Amino acid sequence: QPKRQAQNQYQYQKYFSTLINAGLQVVDNGDVLIISGEGIFEKKSIIKNAGFRWDGQNRVWYMQKREAA
């Protein structure tokens, strides 16, 4: 099972390589992926283009995992 989890993380990293290259991290947070890192507001166009949505209540960019698959 840990090997499968590592493969999933690799696939997410590859899929979101633009975000990672911009200095952001894609974090697995249960049922959602969230973006962390410095300058998330300045980089919002990159984040939105990758399919993430803004959650104003929790103040995070997120994506349901099923959308990322």
Side-chain angles (χ1 to χ4, degrees), residues 50-62:
F52 284 80
R53 297 185 181 109
W54 176 248
D55 176 350
Q57 183 175 357
N58 294 313
R59 303 190 52 79
V60 296
W61 289 96
Y62 75 97

Side-chain angles (χ1 to χ4, degrees), residues 10-23:
Y10 175 75
Q11 289 172 351
Y12 292 139
Q13 288 178 352
K14 184 176 180 182
Y15 184 77
F16 300 125
S17 62
T18 303
L19 297 169
I20 294 165
N21 289 339

Side-chain angles (χ1 to χ4, degrees), residues 1-59:
Q1 187 114 35
K3 185 177 181 181
R4 182 176 179 197
Q5 189 174 29
Q7 288 175 340
N8 286 345
Q9 289 173 350
Y10 175 75
Q11 289 172 351
Y12 292 139
Q13 288 178 352
K14 184 176 180 182
Y15 184 77
F16 300 125
S17 62
T18 303
L19 297 169
I20 294 165
N21 289 339
L24 300 169
Q25 294 84 41
V26 180
V27 179
D28 185 334
N29 192 25
D31 291 337
V32 296
L33 300 173
I34 61 171
I35 297 294
S36 69
E38 301 216 9
I40 60 171
F41 294 106
E42 293 84 2
K43 299 172 184 173
K44 74 178 183 179
S45 62
I46 295 169
I47 298 168
K48 286 172 75 172
N49 288 339
F52 284 80
R53 297 185 181 109
W54 176 248
D55 176 350
Q57 183 175 357
N58 294 313
R59 303 190 52 79

